[in-house]
Each structure stands twice: as C-alpha cells, then as structure tokens.
Amino acid sequence: MATKVVTRAVPDELHTSAVTDGFHIVVDALKLNGVETIFGVAGIPITDLARLAQAEGIRYIGFRHEQSAGNAAAIAGYLTQKPGICLTVSAPGFLNGLVALANATTNGFPMIQISGSSSRAIIDLQQGDYEELDQMNAAKPYTKAAFRVDRPEDIGIGLARAIRAAVSGRPGGVYLDLPGDVLAAALDANVAAESLVHVVDPAPRQIPAPESIDRALNLLASAQRPLIILGKGAAYAQADADIRSFIETTGIPYLPMSMAKGLLPDNHPQSAAAARSFVLAQADVVMLIGARLNWLLGHGKAPQWSSTARFIQVDISPTEFDSNRPIAAPIAGDICSALSILLTKLKPGSIRPGSAWLDAIAKRKQGNVERMAAHLNANPSPMDFYSALRAIRDVLAEHSDVYVVNEGANTLDFGRNIIDMRQPRKRLDSGTWGVMGIGMGYAVGAAVVSSEPVVAIEGDSAFGFSGMELETICRYDLPVVTVVFNNNGIYRGDDVNHSGGTDPSPTVLLKNARYEKLIEAFGGTGQYVTDPQSLAKAVTDALAARKPALINCIIDPRAGTESGHIQNLNPRSAITNSKN
Ligand code: ADP
Ligand code: TPW
Ligand code: MG
C-alpha cells in the first residue's frame, strides 16, 4: 500500500474529459491503493479492464486457467502483505478462480478476486443471461468477505472494503463483484474522482494486552521441556529478527511448520525438526506462534502430544484459541507487536529449558540425522525420492535466495524434510489443505513479485493440475525451473488394475511421459535426467541461465508410499475383493 496519506484524490493526468466510466474508476482506485500487478484471464466483461490497467502501468499477467491466476495472486499476497489481485470473467471463469480464493482464505493469504458478472436484472430473474451466475452469493461461503458494486460511484468504497477485509486481522480471500454494466457505466469525472478511497493503515497493528504477555512468560519460565512452534502466520508477519532473537535469547528448541522453514535457517542448532515426533510427545509447555492446532499438528492431541502439555498461542484471531485444545496463555495480537513486547518484558535468565531436555533432543536429532544420511547417500538406480532431492538440496545450498515451490505427496513430504531453507518465506507449498494445483501459479506469482528465480519441485500428478502455465512462464520469460518427479503415478507408478482389465489403476499415470517436451513447445529448455549428477547439473545450468526450464526427473515407480506421510488419514477398505 502507498504510505502517503491521500484520501479522495486521483492523479490529474488520468482525466482529460469531464466524463469517465467504471473501467477507468477501477483502474484509478487500484493505482491509488498501490496495486502493481493483476493476475487474470481476459474475456467478457473484463477485457477492457485488463487492457486499460496495462495501459495505465499496472502489470497484467495473463494465465491459461483462472485457478493458476488466483494461486499467483494468493502467493503474491502472502509474500508482500498486500492483497494479490486476480481478475476473472463471469460464471465459469469466476468459479475456476474461486478454488484459489477459497484456498487463500484457508491459508490466511490476502487476496482479492475481482470478477466481472452478467446483468443483475437477468440473473435475479434467472432468465438465462450469457454466463449467468449469482456470483457474490456463490462466493460467500468460501471467502472472508464478498461484496458487489452496483453503481459506478461505489467502486472506490467497494475496493476499499475489499482491501481492508483481505489484509486486516487474519488475512484471507475476498470477492469483489463488478457487473458488466457498472464497468461500462459513465460517470462525471469529478464525481468519480471524489468517490475514490485511499485505504489508510489497511492492516492496523493489534497490540496484545500486557497481562497476556506476562502470563505467557510465567508459563514458559515454569517449563522444564518448552517448545516453540513457528507457523506460516509467523512467516507472513515479517517479524523475522524479533522471532529469532526471542528463540535465541530463551534458548528454547523450535519446530518450523513447513512454510515457516527458513524463518531461522534450517541448520540452526535450536531447530528440533530432526526430532519432531519426540519433541511433540515430550514438551510440557508449547508456544505456538502463528500456527493452528489443525490436522497438520495432530490437533494437539494424544498420541502425538502429551495430554498434560500446556499451550501458549500467539494469534491475531482470538477465535482460534481453544479450537482443538485448551490454551492456557492466549496472546491475542499481531505477531510483530507481540514479539516486540515479549522481548521487552523478557528478564535475562528467567526462561531456561532444562539441560536434560536439550541433551535428549540433541541425541534424538543425531540418531535421526544419521539414519537419514544413510538413505540420502544410497545411490539407487532408478533414483528414489532421497537421492533426487539430495541432488537438488546440494545445488540450492548455494542459492539461498531461490524460492522453492513444492507439491505432490511423496515429492512434497520428502521435499519438506530434505530441502533446507535458509531465508524466510522462500518455501511455498500445498499448505493447509494439502491441495494439488498450486505449483505453476505460485511459481509465477513468486517470480513476478520478487524477480528472483524459482525451483518448483513437482510430483508428476501435482504438476498436471497447472502444467499448461508453462506457456505463461515462457511468455513472460520467467526464471522458473520446474522439476517433475516422474514416478508415473499418484504416490506410486506400479499399482495394478484389480479387475484384470487393460485400463491402468486409478493411481497410475502414463509410463515414459516426456514432460520436458512440453516446455520445448514454448521455447523453454527441457532436460530428461535419470541420475543425481545429471539432475544437479540440469538445475545448476537452469538457475544460471535464469530462463524457463523443465527437468523430467525419473523416479522409481516403486519408491513412494500411498498418501505419502499421511497414510493414517487414508481410509482403506477392510474387505478383500475376490480378485485382489
Ligand atoms: P501453519 O500451517 O504453518 O501451521 P496456519 O496457517 O495453520 O500455519 O496458522 C497461521 C496462523 O497465524 C493463523 O491462525 C492466523 O490467524 C495467524 N496469523 C496470521 N498472520 C498473523 C499476524 N500478523 N499476527 C498474528 N497471527 C497471525
Ligand atoms: C485438488 C489428492 C493428494 S497428493 C496427489 C493427489 C492427486 C498427487 C500425488 O502424486 P504426485 O506425487 O504429485 O505424483 P508423488 O510424489 O507421491 O507421486 N485433488 C486436489 N488436491 C489433492 N490433494 C488431491 C486431488 C492428491
Ligand atoms: Mg508421482
């Protein structure tokens, strides 16, 4: 958001005549609020909006499918703390984008989907308009907020409400409906200029109560086996230095949730990631910073957790407390404010994790690291997940500025454990829903807002959900290196059809698929690799070139496990089929 305080003003040069229209007002309102990029797919009724935005200096990134445009907008929002903007056409385009908007809401990413829509009068009487759909009401259940602008003079206030709803409190996805006739409607230019709103302080600080900080510090001081868990809310908050300082000053071991990896470098001595199940089960006081006790943390319950552990939770959304387990010391506020007050009030030496606890963690870590090293250093042929990821890990160790996008099942779970992160907010993955299809959208979004290279580590199934965006990557010449982990299957490539028929099993994909040829069709560089050395070289070369590349990385179809590391969530039929 622009920081200068200008309310109800519009740059003079934008208006030469006394009349303007909805299209121009939207663009003026976006510019006034510092929007630099729009991700979308053009068509009726927003084609001219996209064209005009581009003409007026807003970068427009056009996609092949709205879901990827929405995912790019969502991750842009996560990385910049400004709402990412996704522009879609009516009905089907809107619905295609809605999945990404819902995913943004679930993950707490600030995003606004602006969609054109058909004629209200016809929609409301269900008279069969071109792309007819009651979009605002369809969006409501899946978004943090949904608004529709019915008059051109309300565009300014409508966008202001959307921006505030997206970034204040817990961020999320907001829907803004712009009917085609509102976009085309004429309005006196002075009235339009007067109607614009510059949003001042869109995500106001939320300062926690001092007593909530004291309660938390006292509980930590009483702990023998304290643990801090950093979630992606902590990464989003950009309180990096204070978080590190609190962890290092207290000496408390910490676990990063997957998108919080890199907040402190993964090789930090206090990281307990290599002893994860041990610390979850043994900790007596747990401090959650921007992390929810959802399925990703076993809901905070036994058997993963001790039933006597007590919890501190720092969160901007007070209704999160006690959602799965009682929170003994809730700190309601934004993480920047909370950490700064925690540090101010922290008395030197008052919090001391027991040495037995630290020793036990160190011992566990060592054992687990040795076991992992044995897997990483084996060199099976064909490659398995360990050997392929080790090759990528070693290259990325020299490129800590690179964004890592990661989705799949085994590709995701092994990738999270093996690829070390050294900088905050560089790891972007399937997140709270464990959704497939974010890959190319997140890669484009990250590359566009940062101008840094991206390595997208993609299961072959996961890649397929957004693979056509390779054309987008090539069209904008983005430094995105996509590595497809090709085990020709969802989880594994060796399952069989239990009917005995010739159709492949539901989890099997085409054998010998040449994914690298897809990017060659668009002028990018394709590589086919079957060993770790060639993989490392292909990634190194592609990063050096800073050009679009796809590496088809052949993985043993037998290497993965069904559902990756969450087999416990996969119901299986207990009854054996006679043909099994
Ligand atoms: P993870 O999946 O990494 O565990 P979650 O998405 O489950 O993380 O949790 C993130 C939490 O962080 C949410 O409950 C959200 O309300 C909270 N949050 C997001 N931004 C902030 C912030 N600036 N200050 C405090 N809490 C925040
Ligand atoms: C939108 C279900 C979870 S993981 C996965 C699917 C289809 C793909 C796993 O295969 P992949 O990875 O990517 O090849 P790997 O390494 O294990 O072989 N639809 C959506 N989201 C989800 N999560 C699914 C389906 C699923
Ligand atoms: Mg696969």
Side-chain angles (χ1 to χ4, degrees):
M1 233 51 42
T3 46
K4 79 180 164 172
V5 179
V6 188
T7 39
R8 296 175 180 274
V10 67
D12 293 337
E13 71 277 9
L14 290 180
H15 299 299
T16 49
S17 71
V19 176
T20 186
D21 62 18
F23 292 107
H24 286 82
I25 303 171
V26 174
V27 172
D28 291 351
L30 290 169
K31 285 181 70 173
L32 183 64
N33 285 289
V35 170
E36 292 169 2
T37 313
I38 294 175
F39 305 92
V41 176
I44 296 172
I46 49 86
T47 309
D48 244 8
L49 182 58
R51 200 180 275 134
L52 183 68
Q54 187 176 54
E56 294 292 343
I58 296 178
R59 189 157 192 214
Y60 179 83
I61 306 289
F63 284 75
R64 306 304 298 261
H65 192 286
E66 291 86 354
Q67 193 178 117
S68 291
N71 285 324
I75 214 65
Y78 170 72
L79 294 172
T80 62
Q81 298 181 321
K82 295 181 192 176
I85 309 288
C86 172
L87 185 61
T88 59
V89 306
S90 337
F94 154 79
L95 285 171
N96 282 345
L98 189 59
V99 174
L101 191 65
N103 185 58
T105 306
T106 300
N107 282 282
F109 301 156
M111 164 180 172
I112 302 172
Q113 181 177 348
I114 299 179
S115 188
S117 58
S118 310
S119 165
R120 282 301 331 151
I122 302 176
I123 294 171
D124 288 349
L125 275 173
Q126 297 168 37
Q127 292 173 310
D129 205 358
Y130 168 71
E131 299 194 337
E132 174 182 299
L133 185 73
D134 183 2
Q135 294 172 193
M136 180 180 70
N137 285 307
K140 268 184 189 161
Y142 308 109
T143 51
K144 195 175 163 197
F147 305 102
R148 181 172 59 238
V149 176
D150 289 318
R151 307 181 299 183
E153 60 268 37
D154 288 337
I155 289 171
I157 203 77
L159 182 68
R161 287 183 69 62
I163 290 172
R164 273 205 189 280
V167 290
S168 61
R170 175 186 288 169
V174 175
Y175 177 60
L176 185 63
D177 193 286
L178 299 178
D181 51 4
V182 175
L183 288 169
L187 189 69
D188 177 277
N190 290 324
V191 175
E194 283 290 308
S195 74
L196 296 184
V197 179
H198 175 262
V199 180
V200 177
D201 193 12
R205 281 290 167 92
Q206 292 184 216
I207 319 273
E211 61 272 22
S212 70
I213 301 280
D214 296 337
R215 197 184 292 122
L217 288 173
N218 289 338
L219 188 51
L220 277 179
S222 74
Q224 290 300 309
R225 299 182 304 283
L227 174 68
I228 290 174
I229 294 186
L230 301 174
K232 59 174 137 23
Y236 175 79
Q238 301 195 9
D240 310 341
D242 278 357
I243 286 173
R244 184 168 187 156
S245 170
F246 187 74
I247 288 176
E248 291 183 341
T249 311
T250 58
I252 299 174
Y254 75 95
L255 275 183
M257 299 301 289
S258 105
M259 283 180 60
K261 276 164 65 80
L263 217 40
L264 285 80
D266 274 335
N267 61 0
H268 193 283
Q270 284 170 258
S271 169
R276 189 174 191 274
S277 40
F278 176 76
V279 291
L280 292 189
Q282 299 293 322
D284 64 351
V285 174
V286 181
M287 182 181 203
L288 301 158
I289 306 181
R292 287 171 283 187
L293 279 179
N294 56 16
W295 69 277
L296 287 157
L297 282 169
H299 303 281
K301 294 179 181 158
Q304 262 177 275
W305 296 78
S306 151
S307 54
T308 56
R310 286 177 301 165
F311 286 81
I312 299 162
Q313 185 164 25
V314 187
D315 206 290
I316 202 158
S317 177
T319 52
E320 189 56 40
F321 306 135
D322 306 328
S323 61
N324 285 269
R325 218 182 136 143
I327 301 299
I331 299 180
D334 74 88
I335 287 168
C336 286
S337 303
L339 264 290
S340 123
I341 305 174
L342 279 163
L343 278 170
T344 315
K345 292 199 158 204
L346 180 66
K347 293 197 191 72
S350 58
I351 295 173
R352 280 183 188 283
S355 57
W357 173 232
L358 300 181
D359 293 345
I361 296 173
K363 209 166 140 212
R364 280 289 167 142
K365 272 172 72 173
Q366 197 188 345
N368 289 343
V369 167
E370 281 163 13
R371 258 193 299 282
M372 177 72 124
H375 288 297
L376 289 171
N377 294 331
N379 256 332
S381 180
M383 284 186 279
D384 62 7
F385 291 94
Y386 291 104
S387 59
L389 284 161
R390 183 201 64 209
I392 300 176
R393 178 198 69 179
D394 292 347
V395 176
L396 292 183
E398 308 295 320
H399 295 92
S400 57
D401 52 333
V402 167
Y403 284 86
V404 174
V405 170
N406 193 194
E407 61 175 337
N410 294 281
T411 305
L412 176 79
D413 293 332
F414 284 101
R416 182 176 55 243
N417 289 342
I418 295 172
I419 305 288
D420 292 329
M421 305 308 299
R422 291 172 175 76
Q423 290 184 26
R425 293 171 295 284
K426 292 286 187 179
R427 183 182 160 84
L428 314 170
D429 67 26
S430 300
T432 304
W433 262 349
V435 69
M436 298 300 114
I438 49 84
M440 299 299 100
Y442 280 8
V444 171
V448 165
V449 297
S450 73
S451 301
E452 300 283 358
V454 178
V455 171
I457 306 172
E458 299 275 308
D460 50 352
S461 164
F463 169 71
F465 288 73
S466 65
M468 193 63 203
E469 303 302 340
L470 285 180
E471 189 275 335
T472 309
I473 289 167
C474 291
R475 184 161 25 100
Y476 292 96
D477 196 23
L478 298 171
V480 174
V481 184
T482 303
V483 185
V484 176
F485 273 38
N486 185 354
N487 61 354
N488 65 266
I490 298 177
Y491 317 130
R492 293 170 67 96
D494 63 348
D495 196 26
V496 293
N497 177 341
H498 290 295
S499 79
T502 53
D503 281 350
S505 144
T507 58
V508 163
L509 300 172
L510 186 74
K511 291 193 197 324
N512 305 318
R514 299 300 295 260
Y515 292 103
E516 77 282 10
K517 294 194 189 294
L518 291 174
I519 201 164
E520 289 171 2
F522 307 123
T525 303
Q527 299 282 346
Y528 175 90
V529 302
T530 56
D531 64 84
Q533 293 73 27
S534 321
L535 174 57
K537 182 173 184 322
V539 177
T540 305
D541 292 351
L543 284 173
R546 293 183 79 99
K547 290 278 181 196
L550 185 142
I551 302 164
N552 182 3
C553 174
I554 306 304
I555 302 285
D556 189 339
R558 298 159 302 175
T561 51
E562 178 145 332
S563 306
H565 294 183
I566 49 173
Q567 288 161 66
N568 57 318
L569 301 180
N570 186 34
R572 302 288 296 258
S573 169
I575 301 162
T576 312
N577 186 310
S578 58
K579 287 185 175 158
N580 271 0

